Amino acid sequence: MIKVIPSGQACGAAVTGLDLSKRLDVGTLRTVRSAWLEHHILAFPDQTLTNADLERIVQSLGVFGSEPYFEPMAGSEHVVALTRKADEKAPLFAENWHSDWSFMEQPPIGTCLYSVVIPPIGGDTGFINQQKALAEMPPALRAKIEGRIALHSAAGAYAPDGMYGEKDRAAGRSMAIRYSEDARDVRGHPFILQHPESGRETLLGCLGYIVGVEGMTDDDAFSLLLELHQWQTREEFQYSHKWQENMFVIWDNRSLLHKANGGYDGYDRLLHRITVASDPQKYLHATAA
């Protein structure tokens, strides 16, 4: 029997009573998708999954998303290994708030992680409910972003001189990242979007991948982005996810920010990642996985 257990925080729920290594029927998929939209992030503990299972799950929810700056694992075109070795000295990966690949023309609708090796301490992942942040936003701040276009770019992270560029590779990071000049491209998205499935308003992204605001000077844009960041990352909008080995997690990239947390120096950590891109055919009627 499927049970959905809310976290009691601003978002998040655990789902029990499902074996994701088996094909799910249409009714079960609809239940999962409904819970996903309601809680934004779902955690399925005690799962034994192969990369082929991860790919099948994604295809039941949408289509494969691209990973523009990650090298996939051997034997899979879509699954990425998020690795950190016990003795690794490179800075922690993804420790700033962000929405995955918000600089793409069509960012992924979801990100999935499957935990393989989890350290006994630290390593939580933070999430922030951006629908809640927008719904409770002061009217004066909302007026500043209403109708405006945020400019997104990956340059600060994945350009050759970015955080994960040439210097980072020299630091010996174990995770396979491929930096590129393409990271300097800029794409605009409205600050405020309507979720295509739930219809609820949400914010997309934050300072970091957002590098400017259309029609504003750099100084004015930075001031606005900083003010927005201070609001949208408030503690009352957050959920802290604690990992266990063999846990499958999926979050709604359209309604959340997230970041990695450290605190596990001296221990290995390994998760497998795959992203979900939009397929409107699967919004209202899930197909068999």
Side-chain angles (χ1 to χ4, degrees), residues 225-287:
L225 292 172
L226 185 59
E227 181 182 3
L228 178 61
H229 188 273
Q230 290 171 340
W231 174 261
Q232 67 188 143
T233 59
R234 288 168 66 100
E235 186 174 353
E236 61 262 37
F237 307 140
Q238 295 187 27
Y239 160 65
S240 182
H241 179 72
K242 297 186 181 301
W243 289 92
Q244 304 167 8
E245 288 190 357
N246 301 318
M247 175 179 279
F248 175 81
V249 169
I250 180 170
W251 66 84
D252 191 337
N253 196 53
R254 300 162 292 187
S255 60
L256 294 175
L257 298 176
H258 67 281
K259 75 179 184 74
N261 294 307
Y264 55 93
D265 288 349
Y267 295 96
D268 288 341
R269 188 171 186 263
L270 171 62
L271 300 99
H272 291 178
R273 166 185 161 126
I274 188 168
T275 57
V276 188
S278 175
D279 181 354
Q281 296 297 319
K282 296 174 184 175
Y283 282 178
L284 299 178
H285 33 275
T287 59

Side-chain angles (χ1 to χ4, degrees), residues 70 80-84 93 113 175 269-273:
F70 296 160
V80 173
L82 303 187
T83 61
R84 188 169 179 86
F93 178 75
L113 291 182
M175 186 175 164
R269 188 171 186 263
L270 171 62
L271 300 99
H272 291 178
R273 166 185 161 126

Side-chain angles (χ1 to χ4, degrees), residues 130-146:
Q130 294 301 282
Q131 291 180 358
K132 183 175 175 63
L134 180 60
E136 299 179 15
M137 180 178 290
L141 177 55
R142 176 168 178 139
K144 293 179 182 180
I145 63 172
E146 191 88 51

